[in-house]
Amino acid sequence: MEISESCSSATLAGVVTQLVRRGRAQRRIISAAAVCATAMLLAPGSTRAANNPSEDTAAGTVDEVVVTATRREERLLDIPMSASALSGAPLEALGSAGQDIRQLAFTVPSLNIESSNGRTFPRFYIRGYGNTDFNSFASQPVSLVYDDVVQENPALKGFPVFDQADVEVLRGPQGTLFGRNSPAGVVKLESAKPVLGQYSGSVSLSDGTYNTADFDGVVNLPINDQLAFRAATQGQHRDNWVTDRINNTHLEGYDDWAARLQLLYKPSDAFNALFNVHGRILNGSARLFRANIIQLGSNHLVAGFDPAQFYGDGYNGQSYSSVGSNVHLTWNLPSVSLQSITGYESILHYNTIGDIDGGYGPGGLVNPAVPSGPGFIPFGVETGGGIKSHYQLTQEFRAVSNLSGPLQGQAGIFLFDEDVKAVGNDYDITGATLVDTTISEQKNNAEAIFGSLEYSFTSALKVRAGVRFTEDHKTFSVPYAQTASGVPLPLTGPLSKSASASNVSWDLSTTYQVARDVNLYARVATGFRAPSFGAPTGTQAIQVAQSENNISYEGGVKADLFEHRARVAFDVFYYDVSHQQLTAVGGNANQTALINAAHTIGQGAELDFEAHPLPNLVVNLSGSFNDTKIKDKNLAVSPCFNWSFISPELHCTITNPSNPAGLTLIDGNPLPQAARWIADVSLRYSLPLGPSSEIYLYTDWSYRSEVDFFLYQAKEFIGPPLAQGGARIGYTWADKKYEVAAFCRNCTNQIRAIGAIDFENTTGMINDPRIVGGQFSVKF
């Protein structure tokens, strides 16, 4: 009765009220009521991801890593899937120079993160499988889950990484236990939680090149023996370090603030409630697109390229703000744990505007009598866009068994509701005058029911199976599209469309213990991504891409070695995506097109290794091989620019064949941003200077091989290999209460093109420059 009363009050009342106020269909409200009626059976146990890489090097052994990849606490060694976890020193080193969530790229096998929108709108890829779409409604096959709440809109995925318990990367389809599109995998972030009876905290300050400053503050306050409060904040700043020689302005700086407040109420071991409120405010430059920085006929930067110089005549700026909250309610009963997870996220404001042509002047095709540059600029392009209004509401209930026998299981239901209204603006070539505006809106709701069972046939053999049924519904409309003077834009086709899909995802895995702390595993799993809409551009019609489905096979070994002085995980995998949703961006048609490929094949291998060869030395080595291929003999996209009628050398160098219509065939090409090789190595060596102090050296180096920027292949638009390293030397004293350190990121200052625009010229985007700085932190 207590559970039913709790369900019918705060948690579900809020859900149903929101649904009614927003005018959702009656079936959705009935579904929410059904959630309450079945809550006794359908809610999860309280699980908390935890990973504590060894920093106590005197012990000389690797620490046990506990994760929540299966939505319950388990050793990483025991879960039957390819997964990695990061926390502690690696995360601290990565975040010391003002990096955003893209810092996680290449730190674990098969993970890439990139963005053409700077610190907002990151795009994730696992095993080469992702989505390059940059519109405000884009869905991604890699799901980001922050504190057990899915972050569906790509702009939400950029929330800063601070005060973390850990970061888990789950490779392969996760459609059984995670609530939204996840056929490629899940990046799961877990913030540190309030602790009862403990007053503690920390403050960290750093500053470096270009006044790249970072502030992190955490405080944990015990209110009484049942209540604890935790507040964490992060502020990041960088000065404008790039000079625009045409506008005489300075660019590439930012101010990025985020905060998270949490309250834990735990009256007994049988019940606890966790309340979370968080927000973010960002202001700074938009991503700089730099005209003609790639040499024609190659992928090298032009001779004499200076990252600190820019030649544009438009405005570049970006602003963003968001708020969110979630409530976790947990009941621990003798044989089952129940949990309700209610999440709300809202993008309050998002606007970005950029000089897309990356140069100055009207362009040679518009007015050749007026100077333009650098290099050949055919025409000026200035565009802006963002999110006008947004909310996302999620509700999940779980039941996880706590049985003593060989059979364990969990079951639950999941509700999702989202409304996004986005704006797209076009400006004149100077960026000063608005030409036209289009407002588009997408409404998405989904319902799912899921469950999984595991059975231990013997102490060595365990089998798991899971299934999830999902229904997904989307509507897309264009309520407003007109010029700045009020003339309606002549859009093609209807101004609204809808799409629905249902799917059954499943997985089956087995784990066999061949020796103590040595497990073999095998897994087959399926994934699903619902249909996607693309906002119209120009006079283009609303675009629809049909559902995609993935089936994946993997097998591997996990082991603790040499009396727990090392651990290793190795796996091989193969996947087949049917009707993968792809985005053809730009091309000489200068349009974004959503398309489906008949099949995409991926295969490869992954390695994670950690060792303590000496008592004070920790070595981590990881790597992956990913071979992806688009398999569709008739699929073709618009090729890149060709101005050879002006000058013979003014064209990109496409290496794919064309069809009779002049489009470029992409059969056999790798997926965009799919690095064939990824490697990362880190080393930490400490030297004790007394009973409570030490000096240490930490260094990490990552490498990824070349990547295609687009679906077709052209010599100019293949990103060259990228190798970046970081180093940190520090001194800690008073049992690590105080620490001072010097650091560098991208220590060799390797600058490469990591993205491009292909409809005008060899316009590129580059990685961050070298940052050198110092940091001081104190714990209390």
Side-chain angles (χ1 to χ4, degrees):
M1 186 65 181
E2 178 185 345
I3 296 174
S4 299
E5 289 172 354
S6 299
C7 177
S8 62
S9 57
T11 305
L12 261 297
V15 176
V16 175
T17 299
Q18 287 290 338
L19 294 175
V20 172
R21 288 179 178 175
R22 305 247 181 211
R24 295 292 168 256
Q26 183 180 8
R27 176 170 53 83
R28 290 279 290 149
I29 300 173
I30 293 172
S31 297
V35 171
C36 186
T38 56
M40 183 70 78
L41 296 176
L42 301 173
S46 176
T47 57
R48 175 182 173 278
N51 173 31
N52 299 301
S54 179
E55 293 182 7
D56 184 10
T57 53
T61 60
V62 295
D63 288 339
E64 184 176 86
V65 179
V66 178
V67 297
T68 54
T70 59
R71 304 305 291 264
R72 65 163 81 225
E73 291 186 343
E74 291 189 87
R75 294 191 307 167
L76 184 62
L77 178 72
D78 296 329
I79 63 170
M81 70 176 71
S82 176
S84 299
L86 288 170
S87 72
L91 280 181
E92 182 181 1
L94 290 170
S96 60
Q99 294 95 333
D100 55 69
I101 198 169
R102 290 172 294 169
Q103 66 187 298
L104 300 177
F106 319 126
T107 59
V108 300
S110 296
L111 177 66
N112 186 15
I113 311 172
E114 55 87 27
S115 173
S116 56
N117 291 51
R119 297 176 70 84
T120 61
F121 213 110
R123 298 186 288 251
F124 293 74
Y125 306 79
I126 291 180
R127 294 176 172 172
Y129 185 6
N131 182 13
T132 59
D133 198 348
F134 57 84
N135 85 68
S136 296
F137 312 99
S139 69
Q140 295 183 346
V142 177
S143 183
L144 183 81
V145 177
Y146 213 130
D147 290 333
D148 286 326
V149 176
V150 64
Q151 309 294 296
E152 181 67 10
N153 190 279
L156 290 174
K157 298 177 190 285
F159 193 84
V161 179
F162 63 101
D163 191 30
Q164 294 294 299
D166 78 347
V167 177
E168 299 174 26
V169 179
L170 317 179
R171 294 177 283 268
Q174 306 295 325
T176 299
L177 294 179
F178 290 88
R180 287 296 293 164
N181 304 311
S182 58
V186 168
V187 176
K188 187 173 181 292
L189 295 94
E190 191 81 10
S191 60
K193 302 299 186 288
V195 180
L196 293 172
Q198 181 184 102
Y199 174 74
S200 62
S202 64
V203 174
S204 174
L205 294 165
S206 69
D207 193 51
T209 312
Y210 311 121
N211 196 22
T212 299
D214 184 279
F215 168 81
D216 288 88
V218 179
V219 61
N220 189 95
L221 297 174
I223 299 173
N224 55 38
D225 59 354
Q226 298 180 353
L227 288 167
F229 173 76
R230 188 179 186 93
T233 186
Q234 180 187 77
Q236 295 181 318
H237 167 85
R238 179 173 293 171
D239 287 347
N240 289 308
W241 61 278
V242 176
T243 300
D244 185 340
R245 294 297 184 185
I246 304 302
N247 287 332
N248 194 29
T249 57
H250 300 279
L251 303 166
E252 280 285 275
Y254 55 81
D255 289 290
D256 196 353
W257 283 90
R260 180 167 51 243
L261 308 177
Q262 297 181 88
L263 179 67
L264 173 65
Y265 172 56
K266 188 177 181 181
S268 69
D269 290 338
F271 174 75
N272 67 77
L274 180 64
F275 304 90
N276 177 314
V277 178
H278 49 272
R280 180 191 187 194
I281 298 175
L282 165 70
N283 288 283
S285 292
R287 191 69 184 270
L288 289 187
F289 307 105
R290 302 166 184 259
N292 294 302
I293 66 169
I294 305 171
Q295 295 179 19
L296 291 172
S298 78
N299 60 0
H300 302 300
L301 295 177
V302 296
F305 172 71
D306 184 353
Q309 307 299 318
F310 181 69
Y311 301 86
D313 56 2
Y315 174 77
N316 286 274
Q318 187 173 87
S319 57
Y320 174 92
S321 62
S322 65
V323 296
S325 62
N326 54 71
V327 179
H328 291 61
L329 304 176
T330 304
W331 297 265
N332 293 314
L333 306 179
S335 60
V336 66
S337 294
L338 307 174
Q339 189 176 38
S340 164
I341 306 171
T342 306
Y344 179 80
E345 302 288 342
S346 179
I347 299 169
L348 303 177
H349 167 79
Y350 175 41
N351 185 63
T352 182
I353 179 172
D355 188 0
I356 308 302
D357 63 90
Y360 64 90
L365 297 182
V366 177
N367 189 351
V370 177
S372 62
F376 178 69
I377 307 293
F379 44 82
V381 183
E382 180 89 6
T383 64
I387 292 177
K388 190 176 180 65
S389 64
H390 165 270
Y391 81 88
Q392 173 192 289
L393 184 64
T394 59
Q395 177 64 55
E396 186 167 8
F397 290 94
R398 276 177 191 276
V400 177
S401 64
N402 297 322
L403 304 174
S404 58
L407 180 65
Q408 302 289 343
Q410 59 181 296
I413 61 175
F414 174 79
L415 300 177
F416 175 88
D417 190 79
E418 183 185 46
D419 192 333
V420 186
K421 187 175 289 185
V423 59
N425 293 325
D426 291 318
Y427 298 83
D428 66 5
I429 58 175
T430 66
T433 304
L434 180 67
V435 176
D436 59 63
T437 295
T438 301
I439 293 178
S440 306
E441 183 175 16
Q442 178 175 282
K443 299 180 180 181
N444 182 198
N445 58 76
E447 307 87 27
I449 183 168
F450 59 91
S452 68
L453 292 172
E454 63 178 59
Y455 189 80
S456 298
F457 288 92
T458 68
S459 60
L461 178 63
K462 181 185 295 183
V463 175
R464 305 187 190 206
V467 65
R468 185 187 201 98
F469 175 73
T470 302
E471 285 194 353
D472 194 284
H473 323 276
K474 286 181 181 176
T475 61
F476 191 94
S477 61
V478 185
Y480 184 94
Q482 64 182 39
T483 66
S485 60
V487 178
L489 292 177
L491 297 179
T492 302
L495 297 182
S496 65
K497 287 189 176 183
S498 61
S500 297
S502 59
N503 176 263
V504 176
S505 298
W506 56 268
D507 60 68
L508 178 65
S509 60
T510 182
T511 305
Y512 183 69
Q513 186 182 66
V514 296
R516 182 182 178 184
D517 294 326
V518 179
N519 290 335
L520 298 177
Y521 78 91
R523 181 175 188 255
V524 57
T526 66
F528 160 74
R529 185 153 63 113
S532 296
F533 286 104
T537 58
T539 60
Q540 198 175 18
I542 296 172
Q543 304 173 73
V544 185
Q546 68 186 89
S547 300
E548 71 184 33
N549 295 275
N550 181 30
I551 185 166
S552 170
Y553 309 87
E554 70 177 63
V557 58
K558 299 181 180 184
D560 284 350
L561 307 171
F562 312 124
E563 297 181 345
H564 297 279
R565 293 186 177 274
R567 72 162 57 93
V568 65
F570 176 78
D571 68 85
V572 295
F573 64 87
Y574 175 90
Y575 65 82
D576 183 349
V577 185
S578 301
H579 310 296
Q580 182 177 353
Q581 301 171 22
L582 299 173
T583 305
V585 179
N588 58 18
N590 190 18
Q591 290 185 334
T592 300
L594 292 182
I595 56 179
N596 289 97
H599 285 276
T600 300
I601 304 298
Q603 57 189 344
E606 293 150 341
L607 172 70
D608 260 320
F609 178 75
E610 178 182 349
H612 290 233
L614 299 172
N616 298 326
L617 176 64
V618 183
V619 177
N620 284 274
L621 173 66
S622 68
S624 59
F625 170 75
N626 287 269
D627 178 30
T628 64
K629 282 186 172 60
I630 298 169
K631 307 295 286 185
D632 192 325
K633 293 187 178 299
N634 298 315
L635 192 60
V637 299
S638 176
C640 47
F641 70 93
N642 186 346
W643 311 116
S644 57
F645 61 90
I646 295 175
S647 182
E649 74 279 2
L650 291 179
H651 64 87
C652 64
T653 313
I654 296 176
T655 57
N656 292 133
S658 299
N659 67 11
L663 299 177
T664 302
L665 295 165
I666 62 173
D667 180 56
N669 284 357
L671 290 170
Q673 294 292 339
R676 196 173 181 86
W677 295 97
I678 288 176
D680 180 81
V681 60
S682 67
L683 177 150
R684 187 183 192 275
Y685 180 76
S686 63
L687 179 64
L689 300 180
S692 62
S693 63
E694 70 171 16
I695 187 170
Y696 69 86
L697 170 67
Y698 179 88
T699 183
D700 63 296
W701 293 82
S702 65
Y703 169 85
R704 67 120 172 95
S705 59
E706 63 183 24
V707 295
D708 287 1
F709 293 150
F710 304 105
L711 292 172
Y712 62 80
Q713 290 189 309
K715 290 183 179 180
E716 295 81 1
F717 298 129
I718 295 178
L722 179 65
Q724 294 190 113
R728 181 182 180 90
I729 184 169
Y731 171 65
T732 69
W733 68 97
D735 289 324
K736 299 185 180 179
K737 181 178 180 180
Y738 302 100
E739 179 176 347
V740 61
F743 63 83
C744 70
R745 303 302 302 171
N746 190 12
C747 299
T748 61
N749 201 29
Q750 185 176 100
I751 302 298
R752 298 286 186 267
I754 59 173
I757 293 178
D758 67 342
F759 66 83
E760 268 211 326
N761 43 37
T762 53
T763 296
M765 297 161 274
I766 62 171
N767 59 302
D768 281 352
R770 174 171 52 213
I771 302 295
V772 178
Q775 182 177 9
F776 172 76
S777 61
V778 57
K779 298 176 181 178
F780 54 88

